[in-house]
Amino acid sequence: MNKRLWTAVGFAVVAGAGWPLLDVAGAQTLPPAAPVHNLSETKPLPGAPNLNPKSNGRTVHLMPTVQGARALAKARALAPLAGGPLVYHAGGSIMPRVKLYAIFWIPAALQNGGSTGMPVAYQNLQTRLLADYTANGIDNNNTQYYQIIGATGTFIQNAAGVNLASGLAGFTVDNAPYPASGCSDAATPGNCITDAQIQAEIHGVIALKGWTGGPNKLFLLYTSSGEGSCFDSAGTSCAYTQYCAYHSFIPTSPPIIYANMPFGNLSVCQVPGTPSPNGNAVADAVTDVASHEITEAITDPMLNAWFDSSGNEIGDICNFDYGANGWDAGLANQQWNGNFYEVQREFDNHAGGCVQLGP
């Protein structure tokens, strides 16, 4: 099926703009959607990490550490029917044209008085990745995924947000102090913020900058070296132990879709020996994490659209799988706008596997 162009009643219907399913005679129909569902209702495979922890009525979707990703891959290999595809769940939302915002939270000190750190080169590489992401290899693969809201279907477009020349809609550095440690992260004792504290920071920065939430906007919150996080005060899923990052949404009107981006950690959030195309191994590792989170947020921003029966999203199935390095003398697997990156492949439902470019 060619999803990009449907022909009916003598005229073309462009999928990316949305089409009235009930009024288009003769159009090829999309596969039936799975029942209404969300990630909080799924159960991981035996032996796999729980990527969708729940607490106080909230759910986030985790990008696991390398160890967790290996456990997931092993669990999938042992489950005959766990190889995909991703399934669309009725009424689920996607982000047709994403606008990306970066918030770099860098106070003068950690909660325990220790030093914070986030080099300018680290920040610059992250904003460059956000600017380059749209309309390139991984984003091209996203275009096979869609939503059906009421009688209208819409595909993801490999394009920057409306009225933007690139995917980056804005960025800022916030030097406000971290709040009192709200959790206990074994990797960063005494320096830990909860998801509730992360949400409060994002709310505050959005108000300060005059930004607004919305169904096509993703806010990535980057924290400094030495700062950890856990989903809740009880220590349900923590940075560097269970996850490298996660994404979720705040159910305001309009919603605020966000990603928690802890500082890069090569020991648990990068496969040993992975090349660094920009000569900055920690920052390069975080561009991979950011690409993972952006891709998953685009295809499943409200945690109710595209995932498999075990609660895995598009990035989980291919986590830390880079494929062949055909750029920058073997140091990179992607070249976007003349810039080089080493980012994981993503799942292609058409190909039934992980790809660098699609569909």
Side-chain angles (χ1 to χ4, degrees):
M1 176 179 68
N2 185 340
K3 64 174 177 50
R4 290 189 179 82
L5 191 64
W6 292 20
T7 304
V9 199
F11 62 91
V13 180
V14 180
W19 67 94
L21 295 178
L22 300 181
D23 298 333
V24 181
Q28 298 184 57
T29 57
L30 293 167
V36 174
H37 205 40
N38 62 64
L39 282 173
S40 67
E41 300 167 332
T42 60
K43 293 183 179 180
L45 293 168
N50 179 16
L51 302 187
N52 305 295
K54 295 175 284 188
S55 179
N56 298 318
R58 293 273 304 140
T59 302
V60 298
H61 183 76
L62 310 180
M63 175 186 173
T65 62
V66 171
Q67 182 179 3
R70 287 171 175 163
L72 174 59
K74 182 177 180 180
R76 287 175 59 82
L78 295 173
L81 302 179
L86 297 174
V87 175
Y88 177 68
H89 297 81
S93 300
I94 49 108
M95 304 174 79
R97 294 184 66 171
V98 69
K99 295 183 177 181
L100 301 169
Y101 296 80
I103 302 169
F104 300 107
W105 195 3
I106 320 170
L110 299 169
Q111 292 95 327
N112 67 1
S115 299
T116 58
M118 188 184 296
V120 172
Y122 180 103
Q123 299 171 47
N124 288 345
L125 189 53
Q126 306 318 310
T127 56
R128 196 187 79 185
L129 181 280
L130 270 55
D132 287 344
Y133 177 91
T134 55
N136 284 296
I138 295 298
D139 199 28
N140 291 341
N141 184 62
N142 294 336
T143 62
Q144 65 192 278
Y145 300 104
Y146 55 84
Q147 67 182 19
I148 302 173
I149 307 297
T152 300
T154 307
F155 280 95
I156 295 167
Q157 300 179 50
N158 55 336
V162 176
N163 299 323
L164 289 182
S166 76
L168 182 63
F171 68 93
T172 190
V173 174
D174 184 15
N175 299 126
Y178 288 131
S181 189
C183 43
S184 179
D185 184 346
T188 57
N191 305 309
C192 184
I193 50 178
T194 65
D195 184 64
Q197 292 172 316
I198 287 167
Q199 289 186 33
E201 167 68 4
I202 293 171
H203 266 299
V205 171
I206 287 175
L208 183 66
K209 296 294 293 183
W211 296 338
T212 59
N216 282 296
K217 298 178 180 180
L218 173 62
F219 298 88
L220 295 97
L221 178 66
Y222 297 83
T223 47
S224 81
S225 60
E227 186 67 20
S229 58
C230 294
F231 179 34
D232 59 18
S233 59
T236 302
S237 299
C238 295
Y240 312 125
T241 306
Q242 281 80 31
Y243 64 79
C244 299
Y246 65 72
H247 72 96
S248 190
F249 67 96
I250 304 170
T252 49
S253 183
I256 296 173
I257 301 160
Y258 69 97
N260 172 24
M261 300 289 297
F263 195 80
N265 186 315
L266 297 179
S267 66
V268 295
C269 295
Q270 183 58 282
V271 175
T274 301
S276 173
N278 296 287
N280 188 331
V282 174
D284 274 322
V286 178
T287 63
D288 176 39
V289 175
S291 179
H292 178 112
E293 293 304 319
I294 295 166
T295 304
E296 290 194 336
I298 288 173
T299 53
D300 196 25
M302 309 295 284
L303 310 185
N304 65 354
W306 287 96
F307 48 90
D308 70 13
S309 60
S310 302
N312 301 307
E313 294 182 330
I314 185 172
D316 306 316
I317 302 171
C318 309
N319 204 1
F320 300 111
D321 174 355
Y322 301 101
N325 278 22
W327 296 99
D328 196 24
L331 294 178
N333 67 357
Q334 298 283 352
Q335 190 257 74
W336 299 342
N337 299 333
N339 298 314
F340 298 113
Y341 301 98
E342 181 77 352
V343 298
Q344 71 163 83
R345 301 194 293 175
E346 300 290 347
F347 194 78
D348 182 334
N349 258 12
H350 294 330
C354 302
V355 300
Q356 293 176 344
L357 175 68

